Amino acid sequence: MELTSKVLALEPTSQVLGKEPIVSFAILLVVILVIPVMFERLRLPGLVGLVFSGLVLGPSGWHLFQSDSAMINLLSDIGLIYLLFVAGLEVDLEQFRKRKSRAFGFASLTFSVPLIVGTLLGLILGYGWTTSILIGSLFASYTLLAYPIITRLGVVNNEAVTVTIGATIFTDIGAVLILGVCVAIARNQAFSLAGLLTLSGWLTIYSVAVVAGFDWAGKEFFRRSGDDEGNKFLFVLLSVFLAAVGAQLIGVDKIVGAFLVGLAVNEAVGEGPVKEKVVFIGSVLFIPIFFVDLGLLINLPAFLNNLNALKLTLLIIVGLIASKLIAALLAKLVYCYNWREMLTMWSLSLPQVSTTLAATLIGYRAGLLSSEILHSVIVLMLVTSTLGPFITARIAVGLASSPAADPPPTTLPDRDVPETDSALTIVVPVYNPQTQQYLIEMAALLARQSKGKIVPLAIATAAAHMDAPQLEASLERSERLLTKATAQSRVLGLAAQSVLRIDDAFAQGISRAAREQKASLIVMGWGKRTGLRALLFGNVVDGVLWAAHCPVAVTRLVESPKKIQRILVPVENLTAPILQPVQFAQMLAQANQSHITVLNVCDRRTSSSKIAWRRSHLSLLISKLALPNAPEIQIIAHENVAQAILQAARLYDLVVLPFIRNRTSPGGLAISDVTTELARQLTCSIVMLGEPQRTQTNVAISETANSITSAV
């Protein structure tokens, strides 16, 4: 009796906790923080973990959340609006302009072919015209989840890749507008041809008014607001929700307005702190809740026990994959791309995430799409978001950048030119007394080769008042570090021009001071990449790599740089961006009379003729540097790139790795799996060389790509 009374007493408490919004919100925050990281360690997209969490915590699992929860529905609706807004905000207009005609051509193919296939599939399965067309539109758009991969491989400037990126502006707009019309028709059962024409007219007027009006208003407001980031942030949010309300007033869904206003303020927001804040709020809170809410709608037992639903899922997956392949094949025939470029276009256009999921949920709520289609599209998202990047990582390695788009081979001055304008100015941030000696030695070796100078830099973090004790202590510590750095430079036979700066943050202070000093290179120590703060907001190294105007050498030195005799430079792809790490290694080798080896790892199944071609092509690229001592070139066939490099690195004192700057979150950087594994297991010294922002073309997505995957 006593045990039964305790159980009965616990049940109301559990029910109360389940209904308490604060408890639900706390659980959601734990899910958002922990689950995506766990799934990414399993090499699965983080959004898969969020949907899975909704499934486990919802009616099909532990019943902690209900799909009709007012709090979750509100946050999910905001996440849905945010998802489409970010999709519009991240459309890369610059990439579209580069290949406007071909981007429109491929967009027409990759939109119309899947649209026709999806529509026919819906009609064959017995759905009406409106539902069938909506199913087709779900196939038409795509999300560039693999953009971090092609950025890391250095093939963003390949024409086929640029065309695929640019085509997203058409596919997303088309899919969103078709959704708006289909939902409006579904809500008005007595819809006629005159009503359709009227809706189309209002939709056209509305679209032009939003895109043109908010574009003008955004540029004017940003120009008049100066540096007030808070007001700019609020203006962007207000624009999103005003456009969403306007869309509902003309009878279309709110996400149409959210997407269009994202396009409208795209150029006004640009790539700055306002965009970081806007995307950050959505990607770490509202958008993840949307994916969790999507998982709540899954009825797994009913889906698995429904043979027709499983057949429908298979047909949808096969139909999408086949239609995207046909579209890429047609683009190959029309524009004379090679097979590797065609397969890359296909794999890039496979993932169905942001627009597709948003349109599916809206269609489901409007009664146009059944629960079977909802489940099928969720499975489609899981399959394509995993398959697309997997194929891209293996196919895009052999792509070549378009000749006209290749960046200059290097941004470092010629080490043999003694003129002052070509001499290196190396900024060395000093903070850790234990690593300062080796950093100064590294900078001195490089500066001596170009008859340049080193600038030791110390950052004292600002306080609210300039006479605050904390600031005084920070200034005293910084002055001690700079005095020590100046003395170390003098011992090395090189004069140093130390700089003490007061700034709000270390990363901002370093990047700003480097710009003021017209730095050619920043040499800094290894930052902590673990822990909660580094996970959510990135570390100082991340911030400097993202913001700096010049190359950044991030070093982990286990011995004095003067003792380095053998240097290994692994290169992942055979394109021009590999030249800067090679030149950096050459400058250091010239100072120490060291030996350099450039290593490329290819697939174990690569034929001897292809290995010979890779060696010849790599030699040709390196010859552009006109180095006095040509480095040794090694090509290794191995099934695991990281393991091959680790084995080779046992004979070397230093490994120089390229560091491609690509955001995965506001404050974080996307590092390839190979680089991450090498950094963790290498026992010798490491230099990761980050390319300057101006040598890259920043595209779009991903924060929708990664904002939806890693950034959440």
Side-chain angles (χ1 to χ4, degrees), residues 71-335:
M71 186 269 294
I72 293 179
N73 284 341
L74 173 61
L75 296 176
S76 176
D77 280 346
I78 296 174
L80 179 62
I81 293 173
Y82 231 115
L83 182 65
L84 267 294
F85 164 68
V86 172
L89 187 65
E90 294 287 9
V91 168
D92 196 311
L93 300 177
E94 181 182 351
Q95 288 282 19
F96 163 68
R97 294 188 185 106
K98 285 183 177 180
R99 295 283 188 272
K100 187 186 304 182
S101 59
R102 293 200 171 192
F104 179 75
F106 177 65
S108 301
L109 294 172
T110 197
F111 184 86
S112 60
V113 174
L115 177 65
I116 294 171
V117 171
T119 302
L120 291 176
L121 180 62
L123 293 173
I124 291 172
L125 294 173
Y127 294 103
W129 274 100
T130 304
T131 298
S132 299
I133 292 174
L134 181 56
I135 293 173
S137 72
L138 300 180
F139 286 15
S141 63
Y142 56 93
T143 302
L144 290 170
L145 283 186
Y147 178 70
I149 297 173
I150 59 177
T151 302
R152 172 171 54 86
L153 295 177
V155 295
V156 175
N157 287 323
N158 178 276
E159 182 183 294
V161 173
T162 304
V163 165
T164 308
I165 295 170
T168 55
I169 187 172
F170 293 109
T171 57
D172 285 349
I173 290 175
V176 170
L177 293 181
I178 288 178
L179 169 69
V181 173
C182 289
V183 171
I185 293 174
R187 288 173 178 170
N188 187 355
Q189 299 296 330
F191 214 75
S192 62
L193 178 60
L196 179 60
L197 294 175
T198 302
L199 175 64
S200 300
W202 277 114
L203 187 57
T204 302
I205 296 172
Y206 169 79
S207 301
V208 172
V210 168
V211 174
F214 280 102
D215 177 47
W216 173 83
K219 290 177 179 177
E220 281 295 309
F221 188 86
F222 275 48
R223 182 177 64 84
R224 296 174 183 274
S225 295
D227 295 330
D228 193 339
E229 295 177 6
N231 283 341
K232 292 178 181 178
F233 174 78
L234 292 175
F235 172 82
V236 172
L237 286 189
L238 179 62
S239 301
V240 174
F241 289 98
L242 282 179
V245 171
Q248 291 182 306
L249 290 177
I250 67 168
V252 298
D253 196 86
K254 53 186 175 289
I255 67 170
V256 177
F259 179 78
L260 291 176
V261 83
L263 288 177
V265 301
N266 191 304
E267 290 186 321
V269 173
E271 295 288 340
V274 176
K275 181 177 179 179
E276 292 180 3
K277 291 178 173 62
V278 170
V279 174
F280 179 78
I281 293 295
S283 62
V284 303
L285 182 61
F286 296 117
I287 294 176
I289 292 176
F290 163 75
F291 283 106
V292 174
D293 184 47
L294 201 62
L296 298 179
L297 300 176
I298 299 176
N299 188 339
L300 191 59
F303 175 69
L304 295 177
N305 294 326
N306 189 336
L307 185 60
N308 291 330
L310 296 176
K311 291 180 179 178
L312 174 63
T313 302
L314 181 61
L315 286 174
I316 286 179
I317 293 174
V318 172
L320 182 279
I321 293 175
S323 62
K324 291 295 185 183
L325 181 61
I326 293 171
L329 183 60
L330 291 174
K332 173 189 182 299
L333 298 176
V334 173
Y335 300 123

Side-chain angles (χ1 to χ4, degrees), residues 16 21 34 55 87 111 131 176 238 266 328 381 447 475 548 624 629 650:
V16 169
V34 175
L55 172 65
F111 184 86
T131 298
V176 170
L238 179 62
N266 191 304
M381 178 271 295
L475 287 172
K624 295 179 181 180
N629 298 314
R650 295 172 183 171

Side-chain angles (χ1 to χ4, degrees), residues 20-30 65 71 75 285 289:
E20 178 60 44
I22 297 299
V23 175
S24 299
F25 190 68
I27 296 174
L28 281 174
L29 292 180
V30 172
F65 295 151
M71 186 269 294
L75 296 176
L285 182 61
I289 292 176

Side-chain angles (χ1 to χ4, degrees), residues 7 81 96 105 117 138 140 154 177-178 221 304 320 328 331 336 349 370 380 423 434 445 490 579 603 691 694:
V7 172
I81 293 173
F96 163 68
V117 171
L138 300 180
L177 293 181
I178 288 178
F221 188 86
L304 295 177
L320 182 279
C336 300
S349 61
S370 63
L380 174 71
Q434 297 178 350
L445 289 175
R490 192 178 302 113
L579 299 180
D603 190 87
E691 297 179 4
R694 64 174 179 271

